[in-house]
Amino acid sequence: MGEIIIGIVSGMVAALGMGGGTILILLLGIFTNLNQHIIQGSNLIFFIPTSIVAIIMNIKNKTINYKNAFIIIIAGVIGAIAGCKISFNIESSNLKKYFGIFLLGIAIFEIYDFFSQYIKSKKENNT
């Protein structure tokens, strides 16, 4: 039952374009006893159908820049190959720690960006 809830939450976040896979990895890491490599592999399988649905919806809404998308796809494939080779050489417990550090870095950046935007809007409203 927990996997169903995790899937629904991750799918909703993915549909919003906010990285459902990151949420999926986090929730599977917290609520299951799976190895980090298995969790990340499961995320990749989860990504395929959710991406197809998101692509269809974005094509219908005409929100895809195909030139940029093609460049990003090519670079992403190269990055995926490199990332897999690196990941397979990292112990699961260390991979989990590195992922946590990555999430912490994203959180710090998002908090900084939020406050920067807030301060900027306050200054614009006061002038």
Side-chain angles (χ1 to χ4, degrees):
M1 182 65 176
E3 289 85 357
I4 293 171
I5 294 169
I6 290 170
I8 290 171
V9 170
S10 299
M12 290 171 61
V13 173
L16 295 170
M18 296 189 296
T22 303
I23 298 298
L24 179 67
I25 291 171
L26 179 66
L27 294 177
L28 286 175
I30 292 171
F31 296 111
T32 69
N33 292 324
L34 296 173
N35 173 293
Q36 187 68 17
H37 288 99
I38 301 295
I39 291 171
Q40 289 181 210
S42 300
N43 172 56
L44 297 174
I45 295 297
F46 163 83
F47 188 68
I48 294 168
T50 56
S51 293
I52 291 169
V53 171
I55 289 167
I56 292 168
M57 297 301 293
N58 282 285
I59 288 171
K60 285 183 179 181
N61 291 324
K62 298 179 182 175
T63 57
I64 296 176
N65 179 317
Y66 292 99
K67 181 182 176 189
N68 287 344
F70 182 73
I71 294 167
I72 293 168
I73 289 167
I74 298 301
V77 167
I78 293 168
I81 292 168
C84 283
K85 289 185 180 274
I86 293 168
S87 171
F88 292 143
N89 293 313
I90 298 174
E91 189 178 316
S92 183
S93 61
N94 288 336
L95 191 59
K96 190 177 256 187
K97 290 174 191 171
Y98 298 149
F99 185 71
I101 292 167
F102 172 72
L103 288 180
L104 183 61
I106 290 173
I108 291 168
F109 173 78
E110 288 296 324
I111 291 167
Y112 172 79
D113 186 54
F114 173 79
F115 282 112
S116 295
Q117 295 284 338
Y118 177 76
I119 291 168
K120 183 179 176 183
S121 70
K122 283 291 232 184
K123 287 180 181 177
E124 289 173 356
N125 290 335
N126 288 335
T127 56

Short mmCIF file of all heavy atoms in Angstrom, two decimals, residues 64-107:
data_model
loop_
_atom_site.label_atom_id
_atom_site.label_comp_id
_atom_site.label_asym_id
_atom_site.label_seq_id
_atom_site.Cartn_x
_atom_site.Cartn_y
_atom_site.Cartn_z
N ILE A 64 6.77 23.13 -25.75
CA ILE A 64 8.08 22.51 -25.93
C ILE A 64 8.85 23.27 -27.00
O ILE A 64 8.35 23.52 -28.09
CB ILE A 64 7.95 21.03 -26.35
CG1 ILE A 64 7.28 20.23 -25.23
CG2 ILE A 64 9.32 20.44 -26.69
CD1 ILE A 64 7.02 18.78 -25.58
N ASN A 65 10.08 23.63 -26.67
CA ASN A 65 11.01 24.21 -27.63
C ASN A 65 11.84 23.04 -28.15
O ASN A 65 12.73 22.56 -27.47
CB ASN A 65 11.89 25.27 -26.96
CG ASN A 65 12.89 25.89 -27.90
OD1 ASN A 65 13.52 25.21 -28.70
ND2 ASN A 65 13.05 27.20 -27.78
N TYR A 66 11.53 22.57 -29.35
CA TYR A 66 12.13 21.34 -29.87
C TYR A 66 13.63 21.46 -30.09
O TYR A 66 14.36 20.48 -29.86
CB TYR A 66 11.42 20.91 -31.16
CG TYR A 66 10.00 20.46 -30.90
CD1 TYR A 66 8.93 21.31 -31.10
CD2 TYR A 66 9.75 19.19 -30.40
CE1 TYR A 66 7.63 20.91 -30.83
CE2 TYR A 66 8.46 18.77 -30.12
CZ TYR A 66 7.40 19.64 -30.34
OH TYR A 66 6.13 19.23 -30.06
N LYS A 67 14.10 22.63 -30.48
CA LYS A 67 15.54 22.80 -30.69
C LYS A 67 16.29 22.62 -29.37
O LYS A 67 17.25 21.86 -29.28
CB LYS A 67 15.84 24.18 -31.28
CG LYS A 67 17.31 24.42 -31.54
CD LYS A 67 17.56 25.81 -32.09
CE LYS A 67 19.05 26.06 -32.24
NZ LYS A 67 19.34 27.44 -32.56
N ASN A 68 15.85 23.31 -28.35
CA ASN A 68 16.47 23.18 -27.02
C ASN A 68 16.31 21.77 -26.47
O ASN A 68 17.23 21.22 -25.86
CB ASN A 68 15.90 24.19 -26.04
CG ASN A 68 16.37 25.59 -26.31
OD1 ASN A 68 17.33 25.81 -27.02
ND2 ASN A 68 15.66 26.56 -25.74
N ALA A 69 15.14 21.18 -26.67
CA ALA A 69 14.88 19.84 -26.17
C ALA A 69 15.85 18.84 -26.78
O ALA A 69 16.38 17.97 -26.07
CB ALA A 69 13.44 19.43 -26.45
N PHE A 70 16.11 18.95 -28.07
CA PHE A 70 17.02 18.02 -28.74
C PHE A 70 18.42 18.13 -28.15
O PHE A 70 19.06 17.11 -27.86
CB PHE A 70 17.04 18.29 -30.25
CG PHE A 70 17.93 17.35 -31.01
CD1 PHE A 70 17.55 16.03 -31.22
CD2 PHE A 70 19.15 17.78 -31.49
CE1 PHE A 70 18.37 15.16 -31.90
CE2 PHE A 70 19.99 16.92 -32.18
CZ PHE A 70 19.60 15.60 -32.39
N ILE A 71 18.89 19.34 -27.95
CA ILE A 71 20.22 19.55 -27.37
C ILE A 71 20.29 18.96 -25.96
O ILE A 71 21.25 18.27 -25.60
CB ILE A 71 20.58 21.05 -27.36
CG1 ILE A 71 20.72 21.56 -28.80
CG2 ILE A 71 21.84 21.32 -26.55
CD1 ILE A 71 20.77 23.07 -28.92
N ILE A 72 19.26 19.21 -25.18
CA ILE A 72 19.22 18.70 -23.80
C ILE A 72 19.16 17.18 -23.79
O ILE A 72 19.79 16.53 -22.95
CB ILE A 72 18.03 19.33 -23.03
CG1 ILE A 72 18.27 20.83 -22.85
CG2 ILE A 72 17.82 18.65 -21.69
CD1 ILE A 72 17.05 21.59 -22.38
N ILE A 73 18.42 16.58 -24.72
CA ILE A 73 18.32 15.12 -24.80
C ILE A 73 19.69 14.50 -25.07
O ILE A 73 20.10 13.56 -24.40
CB ILE A 73 17.30 14.69 -25.87
CG1 ILE A 73 15.89 15.00 -25.39
CG2 ILE A 73 17.44 13.20 -26.20
CD1 ILE A 73 14.83 14.91 -26.49
N ILE A 74 20.40 15.05 -26.06
CA ILE A 74 21.72 14.51 -26.39
C ILE A 74 22.66 14.63 -25.19
O ILE A 74 23.33 13.66 -24.80
CB ILE A 74 22.32 15.25 -27.62
CG1 ILE A 74 21.44 15.04 -28.85
CG2 ILE A 74 23.75 14.79 -27.88
CD1 ILE A 74 21.24 13.60 -29.26
N ALA A 75 22.69 15.80 -24.57
CA ALA A 75 23.55 16.00 -23.40
C ALA A 75 23.11 15.10 -22.24
O ALA A 75 23.95 14.55 -21.52
CB ALA A 75 23.54 17.47 -22.98
N GLY A 76 21.80 14.91 -22.08
CA GLY A 76 21.28 14.06 -21.02
C GLY A 76 21.65 12.60 -21.19
O GLY A 76 21.97 11.91 -20.21
N VAL A 77 21.65 12.13 -22.43
CA VAL A 77 22.06 10.74 -22.69
C VAL A 77 23.53 10.55 -22.33
O VAL A 77 23.90 9.57 -21.67
CB VAL A 77 21.79 10.36 -24.16
CG1 VAL A 77 22.47 9.05 -24.53
CG2 VAL A 77 20.29 10.26 -24.42
N ILE A 78 24.36 11.50 -22.73
CA ILE A 78 25.79 11.43 -22.38
C ILE A 78 25.96 11.45 -20.86
O ILE A 78 26.71 10.65 -20.29
CB ILE A 78 26.56 12.59 -23.05
CG1 ILE A 78 26.55 12.40 -24.57
CG2 ILE A 78 27.98 12.67 -22.51
CD1 ILE A 78 27.02 13.62 -25.36
N GLY A 79 25.24 12.36 -20.18
CA GLY A 79 25.30 12.44 -18.73
C GLY A 79 24.80 11.17 -18.05
O GLY A 79 25.35 10.74 -17.03
N ALA A 80 23.75 10.55 -18.61
CA ALA A 80 23.20 9.32 -18.03
C ALA A 80 24.20 8.18 -18.11
O ALA A 80 24.37 7.41 -17.15
CB ALA A 80 21.91 8.94 -18.74
N ILE A 81 24.89 8.08 -19.23
CA ILE A 81 25.90 7.03 -19.38
C ILE A 81 27.02 7.25 -18.36
O ILE A 81 27.41 6.32 -17.65
CB ILE A 81 26.45 7.01 -20.82
CG1 ILE A 81 25.35 6.53 -21.78
CG2 ILE A 81 27.68 6.11 -20.92
CD1 ILE A 81 25.67 6.75 -23.25
N ALA A 82 27.50 8.48 -18.27
CA ALA A 82 28.58 8.79 -17.32
C ALA A 82 28.12 8.56 -15.88
O ALA A 82 28.84 7.96 -15.06
CB ALA A 82 29.05 10.23 -17.50
N GLY A 83 26.89 9.02 -15.56
CA GLY A 83 26.36 8.86 -14.21
C GLY A 83 26.20 7.40 -13.81
O GLY A 83 26.50 7.03 -12.67
N CYS A 84 25.74 6.57 -14.73
CA CYS A 84 25.60 5.13 -14.43
C CYS A 84 26.95 4.49 -14.16
O CYS A 84 27.09 3.71 -13.22
CB CYS A 84 24.91 4.41 -15.59
SG CYS A 84 23.14 4.68 -15.62
N LYS A 85 27.92 4.82 -14.97
CA LYS A 85 29.26 4.25 -14.77
C LYS A 85 29.82 4.67 -13.41
O LYS A 85 30.41 3.86 -12.70
CB LYS A 85 30.19 4.66 -15.90
CG LYS A 85 29.86 3.98 -17.21
CD LYS A 85 30.87 4.31 -18.29
CE LYS A 85 30.53 3.62 -19.58
NZ LYS A 85 31.02 2.28 -19.70
N ILE A 86 29.61 5.92 -13.04
CA ILE A 86 30.08 6.41 -11.74
C ILE A 86 29.32 5.72 -10.61
O ILE A 86 29.89 5.25 -9.63
CB ILE A 86 29.96 7.94 -11.65
CG1 ILE A 86 30.94 8.60 -12.63
CG2 ILE A 86 30.19 8.43 -10.23
CD1 ILE A 86 30.69 10.09 -12.83
N SER A 87 27.98 5.67 -10.74
CA SER A 87 27.12 5.11 -9.70
C SER A 87 27.45 3.66 -9.39
O SER A 87 27.46 3.24 -8.23
CB SER A 87 25.66 5.22 -10.13
OG SER A 87 24.81 4.51 -9.26
N PHE A 88 27.73 2.88 -10.42
CA PHE A 88 28.02 1.46 -10.20
C PHE A 88 29.30 1.24 -9.42
O PHE A 88 29.53 0.17 -8.88
CB PHE A 88 28.08 0.71 -11.53
CG PHE A 88 26.75 0.62 -12.23
CD1 PHE A 88 26.67 0.70 -13.61
CD2 PHE A 88 25.57 0.46 -11.53
CE1 PHE A 88 25.46 0.62 -14.26
CE2 PHE A 88 24.34 0.37 -12.17
CZ PHE A 88 24.29 0.45 -13.55
N ASN A 89 30.15 2.25 -9.36
CA ASN A 89 31.42 2.14 -8.63
C ASN A 89 31.36 2.76 -7.23
O ASN A 89 32.38 2.88 -6.57
CB ASN A 89 32.55 2.79 -9.44
CG ASN A 89 32.84 2.02 -10.71
OD1 ASN A 89 32.96 0.81 -10.69
ND2 ASN A 89 32.94 2.73 -11.81
N ILE A 90 30.17 3.18 -6.80
CA ILE A 90 30.01 3.79 -5.49
C ILE A 90 29.20 2.85 -4.61
O ILE A 90 28.16 2.33 -5.02
CB ILE A 90 29.29 5.16 -5.61
CG1 ILE A 90 30.13 6.14 -6.43
CG2 ILE A 90 29.01 5.74 -4.22
CD1 ILE A 90 29.43 7.45 -6.71
N GLU A 91 29.67 2.64 -3.40
CA GLU A 91 28.95 1.80 -2.44
C GLU A 91 27.58 2.41 -2.14
O GLU A 91 27.43 3.64 -2.06
CB GLU A 91 29.78 1.70 -1.17
CG GLU A 91 29.25 0.69 -0.18
CD GLU A 91 30.14 0.59 1.04
OE1 GLU A 91 31.38 0.55 0.87
OE2 GLU A 91 29.58 0.57 2.16
N SER A 92 26.57 1.56 -1.96
CA SER A 92 25.20 2.00 -1.77
C SER A 92 25.04 2.99 -0.63
O SER A 92 24.34 4.00 -0.75
CB SER A 92 24.29 0.80 -1.54
OG SER A 92 22.95 1.20 -1.42
N SER A 93 25.69 2.75 0.51
CA SER A 93 25.55 3.65 1.65
C SER A 93 26.14 5.03 1.33
O SER A 93 25.59 6.05 1.74
CB SER A 93 26.22 3.07 2.89
OG SER A 93 27.61 2.88 2.67
N ASN A 94 27.24 5.06 0.59
CA ASN A 94 27.82 6.34 0.19
C ASN A 94 26.94 7.05 -0.83
O ASN A 94 26.79 8.27 -0.80
CB ASN A 94 29.23 6.16 -0.37
CG ASN A 94 30.23 5.81 0.70
OD1 ASN A 94 30.02 6.11 1.87
ND2 ASN A 94 31.31 5.15 0.32
N LEU A 95 26.35 6.28 -1.74
CA LEU A 95 25.46 6.86 -2.75
C LEU A 95 24.28 7.55 -2.08
O LEU A 95 23.88 8.65 -2.48
CB LEU A 95 25.00 5.77 -3.70
CG LEU A 95 24.28 6.19 -4.96
CD1 LEU A 95 25.16 7.11 -5.81
CD2 LEU A 95 23.88 4.95 -5.78
N LYS A 96 23.77 6.92 -1.03
CA LYS A 96 22.65 7.51 -0.27
C LYS A 96 23.08 8.84 0.37
O LYS A 96 22.35 9.82 0.34
CB LYS A 96 22.18 6.53 0.79
CG LYS A 96 20.90 6.91 1.48
CD LYS A 96 20.47 5.85 2.47
CE LYS A 96 19.34 5.07 1.89
NZ LYS A 96 18.74 4.12 2.82
N LYS A 97 24.28 8.86 0.92
CA LYS A 97 24.80 10.09 1.53
C LYS A 97 24.98 11.20 0.48
O LYS A 97 24.62 12.35 0.71
CB LYS A 97 26.12 9.83 2.23
CG LYS A 97 26.01 8.99 3.47
CD LYS A 97 27.38 8.65 4.03
CE LYS A 97 27.26 7.59 5.10
NZ LYS A 97 28.55 7.07 5.51
N TYR A 98 25.55 10.84 -0.65
CA TYR A 98 25.77 11.83 -1.72
C TYR A 98 24.44 12.39 -2.22
O TYR A 98 24.33 13.58 -2.52
CB TYR A 98 26.56 11.23 -2.88
CG TYR A 98 27.95 10.76 -2.50
CD1 TYR A 98 28.53 9.69 -3.16
CD2 TYR A 98 28.68 11.37 -1.48
CE1 TYR A 98 29.79 9.24 -2.82
CE2 TYR A 98 29.95 10.92 -1.13
CZ TYR A 98 30.50 9.86 -1.81
OH TYR A 98 31.75 9.42 -1.48
N PHE A 99 23.43 11.51 -2.31
CA PHE A 99 22.11 11.98 -2.74
C PHE A 99 21.53 12.95 -1.72
O PHE A 99 20.94 13.97 -2.07
CB PHE A 99 21.16 10.79 -2.96
CG PHE A 99 19.83 11.20 -3.52
CD1 PHE A 99 19.72 11.64 -4.83
CD2 PHE A 99 18.70 11.16 -2.73
CE1 PHE A 99 18.49 12.04 -5.33
CE2 PHE A 99 17.47 11.55 -3.22
CZ PHE A 99 17.36 11.98 -4.53
N GLY A 100 21.72 12.64 -0.44
CA GLY A 100 21.26 13.55 0.62
C GLY A 100 21.95 14.90 0.55
O GLY A 100 21.31 15.95 0.70
N ILE A 101 23.25 14.89 0.29
CA ILE A 101 23.99 16.15 0.14
C ILE A 101 23.47 16.93 -1.06
O ILE A 101 23.30 18.16 -1.00
CB ILE A 101 25.51 15.87 0.03
CG1 ILE A 101 26.05 15.34 1.37
CG2 ILE A 101 26.27 17.11 -0.41
CD1 ILE A 101 27.44 14.73 1.28
N PHE A 102 23.20 16.22 -2.14
CA PHE A 102 22.64 16.84 -3.34
C PHE A 102 21.29 17.51 -3.03
O PHE A 102 21.06 18.67 -3.40
CB PHE A 102 22.47 15.78 -4.44
CG PHE A 102 21.75 16.25 -5.66
CD1 PHE A 102 22.34 17.13 -6.55
CD2 PHE A 102 20.47 15.78 -5.93
CE1 PHE A 102 21.67 17.56 -7.68
CE2 PHE A 102 19.79 16.20 -7.05
CZ PHE A 102 20.39 17.09 -7.94
N LEU A 103 20.42 16.80 -2.33
CA LEU A 103 19.12 17.38 -1.96
C LEU A 103 19.28 18.59 -1.05
O LEU A 103 18.56 19.58 -1.19
CB LEU A 103 18.23 16.33 -1.28
CG LEU A 103 17.67 15.23 -2.16
CD1 LEU A 103 16.83 14.28 -1.31
CD2 LEU A 103 16.85 15.79 -3.29
N LEU A 104 20.22 18.51 -0.12
CA LEU A 104 20.48 19.63 0.78
C LEU A 104 20.94 20.84 -0.02
O LEU A 104 20.49 21.97 0.23
CB LEU A 104 21.51 19.24 1.82
CG LEU A 104 21.84 20.30 2.89
CD1 LEU A 104 20.59 20.64 3.70
CD2 LEU A 104 22.93 19.78 3.80
N GLY A 105 21.81 20.62 -0.99
CA GLY A 105 22.28 21.71 -1.85
C GLY A 105 21.14 22.35 -2.62
O GLY A 105 21.05 23.58 -2.71
N ILE A 106 20.25 21.52 -3.16
CA ILE A 106 19.08 22.05 -3.87
C ILE A 106 18.20 22.86 -2.92
O ILE A 106 17.72 23.94 -3.27
CB ILE A 106 18.27 20.91 -4.53
CG1 ILE A 106 19.07 20.31 -5.68
CG2 ILE A 106 16.91 21.41 -5.01
CD1 ILE A 106 18.43 19.08 -6.28
N ALA A 107 17.98 22.34 -1.71
CA ALA A 107 17.14 23.04 -0.74
C ALA A 107 17.74 24.39 -0.38
O ALA A 107 17.03 25.40 -0.34
CB ALA A 107 16.97 22.19 0.52
#
